[in-house]
Amino acid sequence: MAGRFSLIFILSAVIIPALFSQDKSLEYTINRKGDIVGHIFFTQSSLADKTTLRLESNVKTWFIFTFFANALEEAVFENDIMIRSSIYRQLNGKEKVNKTTTLNGSNYIVQKGSKQEVLNNDPIRYTLLNMYVLEPKNISKVYSDNFQQLFDIQKVGDQHYKVNFPDRNYTEYFYKNGVCVKVHVHHTLYEVTIELKR
């Protein structure tokens, strides 16, 4: 009897968390002019009504001079509403971007160093991080942590979307089975392709 109880307890400890958690890990290569210059590691973890998306990237390439770039982005959702997000970027060891967006009542508060800004947005439900794991079939707007605003999502073709940014740069996303398999980043100074590792 004790052995049977122990077996049930062990099975419960394994099965119950599996029923309530959904974890996903994706790895991408960053390609520039035919060379792999970096990697992106993306994770999605869910438990009950809370989901966390996390993207970590590192790049080493040459553009006039050799540079190293690292970034960490995160978004936390509760009941499908973003309650917190952050973006942190370094270039050659120096901090370039460090912003946090937090839901406070019906508004979002953006923290940039010692400065705060209030965003009077509707609840944010879809961010640029979501675009890696959820094709925006019926979604028209996406939130950018870097710009702290919503942008239109343009459907270019079948499983192909585009987002334009105010600095004249734009990004294209390509999907297969609902997951992003390729991203084209079009910058005024460079272009890179991000591809899902098979």
Side-chain angles (χ1 to χ4, degrees):
M1 190 68 160
R4 185 180 299 175
F5 179 79
S6 297
L7 179 60
I8 292 171
F9 178 79
I10 291 169
L11 288 174
S12 297
V14 172
I15 294 171
I16 290 175
L19 293 174
F20 292 94
S21 65
Q22 296 178 340
D23 295 340
K24 182 178 291 186
S25 296
L26 302 171
E27 183 178 349
Y28 295 83
T29 56
I30 303 173
N31 307 280
R32 179 172 179 260
K33 295 182 177 180
D35 295 324
I36 295 177
V37 296
H39 294 85
I40 287 176
F41 302 95
F42 183 95
T43 58
Q44 173 184 296
S45 57
S46 301
L47 186 62
D49 58 0
K50 187 173 285 188
T51 298
T52 301
L53 306 177
R54 182 183 174 93
L55 183 151
E56 187 172 357
S57 64
N58 55 73
V59 174
K60 178 184 178 183
T61 190
W62 187 90
F63 184 75
I64 302 176
F65 57 90
T66 300
F67 72 85
F68 302 87
N70 298 288
L72 180 62
E73 299 179 44
E74 189 174 80
V76 180
F77 295 81
E78 192 168 337
N79 295 316
D80 297 324
I81 294 174
M82 191 188 85
I83 59 171
R84 183 176 57 80
S85 67
S86 61
I87 179 169
Y88 181 83
R89 291 178 181 167
Q90 273 190 349
L91 180 62
N92 291 335
K94 295 183 179 180
E95 183 180 288
K96 303 298 289 185
V97 179
N98 188 0
K99 304 175 185 178
T100 303
T101 305
T102 306
L103 181 63
N104 185 2
S106 59
N107 296 320
Y108 287 95
I109 307 296
V110 177
Q111 186 81 36
K112 293 180 281 187
S114 60
K115 297 180 180 179
Q116 283 191 348
E117 180 183 346
V118 178
L119 299 182
N120 297 313
N121 288 56
D122 290 332
I124 296 169
R125 298 178 182 273
Y126 193 77
T127 71
L128 289 174
L129 290 185
N130 290 100
M131 293 195 75
Y132 283 88
V133 287
L134 180 63
E135 181 181 350
K137 288 182 179 179
N138 301 303
I139 301 170
S140 60
K141 300 279 187 180
V142 61
Y143 177 74
S144 164
D145 267 301
N146 192 39
F147 292 99
Q148 296 105 49
Q149 66 185 88
L150 293 165
F151 294 102
D152 292 330
I153 300 172
Q154 301 176 25
K155 184 165 186 178
V156 178
D158 188 35
Q159 299 178 312
H160 178 191
Y161 304 84
K162 179 180 178 182
V163 180
N164 289 302
F165 300 106
D167 55 5
R168 295 185 295 128
N169 301 319
Y170 65 93
T171 303
E172 295 179 87
Y173 297 83
F174 301 82
Y175 293 82
K176 185 175 181 180
N177 299 323
V179 173
C180 185
V181 294
K182 185 165 61 175
V183 180
H184 284 323
V185 178
H186 300 265
H187 193 277
T188 53
L189 298 176
Y190 61 84
E191 290 190 11
V192 298
T193 300
I194 300 166
E195 294 183 294
L196 180 66
K197 289 188 70 174
R198 305 294 179 178

